[in-house]
Amino acid sequence: MTGFGRGVTTTKTFQLTIEVRSVNHRFLEIYTKFPKEWMEAEQLAKKLISQKVLRGKLDVTVHVKSLAESDQLFQINWPLIEAYKKAKAELSAVVPLDASWTMQELLSLEHALTYEKQEIAVDELTNAVASAVDDALDGLIDMRVREGAALKKVVLQYKDELHEQIRHIRNVAPQAVQKYRERLLERIREVAASDVVDDRVLAEVALFAERVDITEELDRLESHFEQLTSTLEEAVSIGRKLDFLMQEMHREINTIGSKNQSSEASVAVVHAKTILEKMREQVQNIE
C-alpha cells in the first residue's frame, strides 16, 4: 500500500526530520538512509516500523540540522602549520618564494583545519529517532487506512462479479450430463436400432456424471466467498489471509475448468479466472 509520513523532533543540539514513503509490495522491505555513525538508531527505526507495518516497500530518509555553534567545532592543527612554516622558510633561502600567506594556501594543507562533529548522547539520539519515526508512521498509516477503505470496495465488487460467474456455472453445468446421455443414446440407436436403455448405458452415464461433478468445488467456493467478506471486516492485518483465499479460489476454479464439459460453463470459467486475477492484484496491496 502507498503512503507518506513525516516526523520532526527538535533537541538542544539538532533538529531531526524522518520521512517514510511506502509503495505496494507483497512482503515488508525497509530501506533506510541514516548517517553511518547512527547504526544503533537505524536498527531502532527498523524495529519500530516493523512493529506497525507488515507489508510494503518502505524508504526511510533522515535529515539532520545542527543547532550548535559551528565555530566551536573547528580545530587548528598548529604543529602541522608550524612545520609547514619552517619548511617554507628553508625553501625561501634557496628559491625565491612569496612571503605572504593566504587562507587558500593554509586550507590546501591536508589536516591543517579539522572539523570535529559534536557527539550526540545515545539517549538523546534514540529518543529523538523514536519520536520522529512514531509521528511519521502515524501519517503513513493514516494514508494507508484511507487507501485500504477504497481497496475494500474494489475487492468486494470483484467478489460479486466472480460470485455471479460461479452461480452461472452451477446452473449450466448439469446440462453436460443430460447432453452426454442424449448423445450416448443417439449412438446406440444408430447401431442397435433400439430405444431400450439397458443397465450398461445407465452405468456409463453415472460414471460420466461422477467424473464431471463439480458440486464440491462450487460449495468450497461459496465458503471462500463468505470468508473473504468476513475477513475484510477484521481490524487486523489480513493481507496474508487474503492471499491464501485467492490461492484456494484459484485452485477450485482451475479444477472446475478441468472437469467441466459444458461450453457455457467454459465461457464463465474464463471470465471467472480474469476477475480473480484482477482481485489477486488488488489483494497484494492490502496489509
Side-chain angles (χ1 to χ4, degrees):
M1 299 177 72
T2 58
F4 172 81
R6 176 189 288 114
V8 181
T9 301
T10 302
T11 71
K12 294 180 180 180
T13 58
F14 66 92
Q15 182 182 75
L16 175 67
T17 302
I18 292 182
E19 296 178 345
V20 182
R21 294 175 173 82
S22 72
V23 294
N24 298 327
H25 199 277
R26 289 186 62 189
F27 306 103
L28 177 63
E29 292 185 5
I30 304 174
Y31 298 92
T32 55
K33 298 177 182 177
F34 277 65
K36 60 181 180 180
E37 64 271 18
W38 286 20
M39 185 177 297
E40 184 176 347
E42 183 176 15
Q43 294 302 317
L44 172 63
K46 288 183 177 180
K47 179 181 178 181
L48 294 174
I49 292 172
S50 62
Q51 290 174 348
K52 291 189 175 182
V53 179
L54 301 179
R55 256 185 168 185
K57 180 180 177 182
L58 278 67
D59 286 312
V60 184
T61 57
V62 178
H63 306 280
V64 186
K65 179 181 178 181
S66 178
L67 303 179
E69 293 293 334
S70 59
D71 59 351
Q72 297 178 359
L73 302 178
F74 285 98
Q75 299 293 330
I76 302 174
N77 190 341
W78 290 112
L80 176 65
I81 293 177
E82 289 294 340
Y84 178 72
K85 179 182 177 182
K86 181 179 179 182
K88 186 174 181 179
E90 292 177 357
L91 284 171
S92 297
V94 180
V95 181
L97 295 175
D98 188 355
S100 62
W101 288 55
T102 65
M103 181 59 73
Q104 183 178 3
E105 181 180 0
L106 290 175
L107 292 178
S108 66
L109 296 175
E110 189 175 4
H111 305 308
L113 198 62
T114 59
Y115 176 79
E116 294 184 359
K117 237 178 185 179
Q118 188 176 13
E119 292 187 3
I120 302 173
V122 175
D123 290 343
E124 181 184 12
L125 177 58
T126 54
N127 289 338
V129 168
S131 177
V133 167
D134 191 55
D135 290 343
L137 288 176
D138 286 343
L140 176 76
I141 292 172
D142 184 60
M143 288 186 66
R144 286 161 66 100
V145 167
R146 292 197 297 270
E147 181 185 1
L151 287 174
K152 176 183 175 181
K153 294 180 181 179
V154 173
V155 172
L156 285 174
Q157 179 180 345
Y158 283 142
K159 188 268 294 184
D160 291 340
E161 294 176 7
L162 180 59
H163 203 174
E164 182 62 31
Q165 296 299 323
I166 298 305
R167 281 195 289 263
H168 182 63
I169 293 172
R170 187 185 289 274
N171 291 333
V172 301
Q175 299 174 8
V177 177
Q178 180 62 28
K179 289 181 179 179
Y180 178 77
R181 181 177 182 277
E182 292 174 357
R183 289 198 303 270
L184 188 60
L185 286 173
E186 183 65 26
R187 291 173 183 174
I188 291 175
R189 294 189 186 101
E190 290 176 357
V191 298
S194 172
D195 292 334
V196 178
V197 180
D198 59 21
D199 292 342
R200 286 175 297 176
V201 173
L202 294 175
E204 179 66 24
V205 173
L207 287 173
F208 176 81
E210 182 177 357
R211 189 165 63 249
V212 301
D213 180 53
I214 55 175
T215 302
E216 290 185 10
E217 288 78 8
L218 293 171
D219 289 343
R220 282 195 291 267
L221 277 171
E222 293 291 342
S223 174
H224 294 333
F225 287 138
E226 294 177 3
Q227 292 182 63
L228 175 64
T229 302
S230 62
T231 299
L232 288 171
E233 298 298 327
E234 296 178 7
V236 295
S237 177
I238 60 174
R240 300 291 175 83
K241 186 175 180 180
L242 291 177
D243 275 344
F244 174 75
L245 284 173
M246 294 300 103
Q247 292 172 6
E248 292 303 304
M249 293 168 73
H250 186 262
R251 190 197 316 276
E252 302 300 345
I253 292 175
N254 273 343
T255 303
I256 290 172
S258 64
K259 287 185 175 182
N260 170 64
Q261 297 293 324
S262 166
S263 57
E264 288 188 59
S266 296
V267 175
V269 167
V270 172
H271 288 325
K273 288 183 177 181
T274 301
I275 296 169
L276 182 62
E277 185 59 31
K278 293 178 181 179
M279 191 187 300
R280 290 178 70 181
E281 290 177 359
Q282 295 297 336
V283 162
Q284 289 180 6
N285 300 330
I286 297 176
E287 179 172 320

